[in-house]
């Protein structure tokens, strides 16, 4: 069965420092996608970054990078130069085939607090 | 533009009321989704529409009734809800529904009294 695990319920980081949010996954599908979303207290889920299972290089989007280690089944999010506005809940998610349409399953989330 | 809009932002309803949530996107996406999210939990998938046809129903109670009138619009009709249905309801869309990125709307915070 497909599963996403985020083992860090909460994290603190100093402003301007880098932080790594952990995510491991389990699937037997050869083709899947891995996503990170940010959810501020306002509630909107904001897409941050995507990594496909066949992508050779780690994905990067501005200050976000995804450390994809396929053999270890991990897809950690690295946020460089943290800002106060990065304080939010972060969800790792995996897209897997659910029949006619792919399903997105989420981890339990990591609450990040950026301190000045 | 990756905007998905949802109305209303907040909704308070009694257990005997009938109300509807609306979701709209103009990105040409052909897959649309409804999720329910309780506080401090991840979103849970409820329904998926692919090319305007219902493709996934995650055993959702019949008091929730989805509708996709066209490729840009998704509704969720609510009737005889229970207090435990109070949650954030998120709509999302993606280009085809196959391993592509889902873009979410801001959500509707529903309170059932």
């Amino acid at each position: 069965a497909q599963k996403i695990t985020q083992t860090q319920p909460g994290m603190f980081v100093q402003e301007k420092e880098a932080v790594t949010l952990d995510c491991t996954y389990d699937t037997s599908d050869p083709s899947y996608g891995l996503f990170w979303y940010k959810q501020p207290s306002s509630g909107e889920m904001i897409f941050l970054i995507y990594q496909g299972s066949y992508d050779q290089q780690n994905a990067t989007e501005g200050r976000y990078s995804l450390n994809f280690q396929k053999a270890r089944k991990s897809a950690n999010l690295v946020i460089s130069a943290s800002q106060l506005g990065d304080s939010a809940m972060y969800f790792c998610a995996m897209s897997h085939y659910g029949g006619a349409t792919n399903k997105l399953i989420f981890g339990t989330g990591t609450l990040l607090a950026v301190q000045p | 533009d990756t905007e998905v809009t949802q109305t209303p932002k907040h909704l308070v309803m009694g257990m005997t009321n009938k109300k509807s949530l609306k979701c709209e996107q103009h990105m040409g996406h052909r897959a649309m989704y409804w999720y329910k999210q309780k506080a401090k939990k991840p979103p849970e998938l409820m329904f998926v529409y692919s090319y305007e046809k219902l493709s996934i129903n995650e055993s959702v109670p019949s008091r929730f009734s989805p509708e996709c009138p066209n490729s840009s619009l998704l509704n969720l009709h609510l009737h005889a809800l229970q207090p435990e249905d109070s949650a954030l309801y998120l709509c999302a869309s993606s280009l085809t529904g196959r391993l592509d990125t889902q873009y979410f709307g801001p959500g509707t915070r529903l309170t059932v009294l």
Side-chain angles (χ1 to χ4, degrees):
Chain A
Q2 288 79 5
K3 189 177 179 183
I4 290 277
T5 302
Q6 294 179 255
T7 57
Q8 305 155 312
M11 291 274 290
F12 289 97
V13 65
Q14 290 293 122
E15 196 178 6
K16 299 181 185 176
E17 291 187 350
V19 62
T20 298
L21 306 184
D22 294 341
C23 173
T24 58
Y25 62 93
D26 191 17
T27 181
S28 55
D29 293 337
S31 182
Y32 52 88
L34 295 160
F35 303 81
W36 278 92
Y37 286 88
K38 171 186 177 182
Q39 188 174 40
S41 56
S42 59
E44 183 170 5
M45 293 285 282
I46 302 166
F47 165 69
L48 297 178
I49 197 165
Y50 163 79
Q51 180 87 40
S53 58
Y54 295 115
D55 294 342
Q56 297 294 318
Q57 291 193 325
N58 287 343
T60 60
E61 287 285 350
R63 294 187 298 114
Y64 304 108
S65 60
L66 200 153
N67 185 359
F68 182 46
Q69 298 190 42
K70 196 169 182 177
R72 293 187 175 185
K73 293 190 174 178
S74 74
N76 298 339
L77 177 70
V78 180
I79 306 174
S80 63
S82 297
Q83 301 172 356
L84 295 177
D86 294 335
S87 294
M89 181 71 86
Y90 288 81
F91 289 101
C92 181
M94 178 171 64
S95 182
H96 72 100
Y97 187 64
T101 315
N102 282 339
K103 293 185 179 184
L104 197 60
I105 58 168
F106 289 85
T108 50
T110 295
L111 185 60
L112 178 66
V114 180
Q115 297 174 322
Chain B
D1 184 14
T2 55
E3 188 178 25
V4 177
T5 60
Q6 287 188 246
T7 54
K9 284 188 168 48
H10 301 272
L11 179 62
V12 179
M13 60 186 290
M15 289 190 283
T16 58
N17 292 157
K18 284 185 182 181
K19 296 286 185 184
S20 296
L21 309 185
K22 180 180 171 182
C23 172
E24 203 161 2
Q25 57 87 15
H26 296 287
M27 296 180 278
H29 288 180
R30 303 311 300 270
M32 296 186 77
Y33 312 76
W34 279 116
Y35 289 86
K36 174 183 177 180
Q37 187 179 22
K38 301 286 272 185
K40 301 188 190 305
K41 297 288 187 184
E44 297 175 350
L45 182 65
M46 300 174 72
F47 303 104
V48 182
Y49 273 83
S50 177
Y51 292 83
E52 295 149 60
K53 287 186 173 19
L54 183 65
S55 64
I56 296 177
N57 176 344
E58 292 286 82
S59 303
V60 178
S62 60
R63 57 186 185 268
F64 295 91
S65 175
E67 178 196 20
C68 189
N70 59 60
S71 60
S72 300
L73 189 56
L74 185 65
N75 297 318
L76 186 62
H77 302 298
L78 314 172
H79 173 53
L81 294 193
Q82 304 297 310
E84 59 265 28
D85 296 322
S86 298
L88 179 67
Y89 288 83
L90 291 162
C91 173
S93 71
S94 70
L95 189 59
T96 63
R98 301 195 188 286
L99 283 183
D100 44 16
T101 301
Q102 292 184 27
Y103 295 94
F104 285 79
T108 294
R109 289 196 186 272
L110 173 68
T111 303
V112 182
L113 301 176

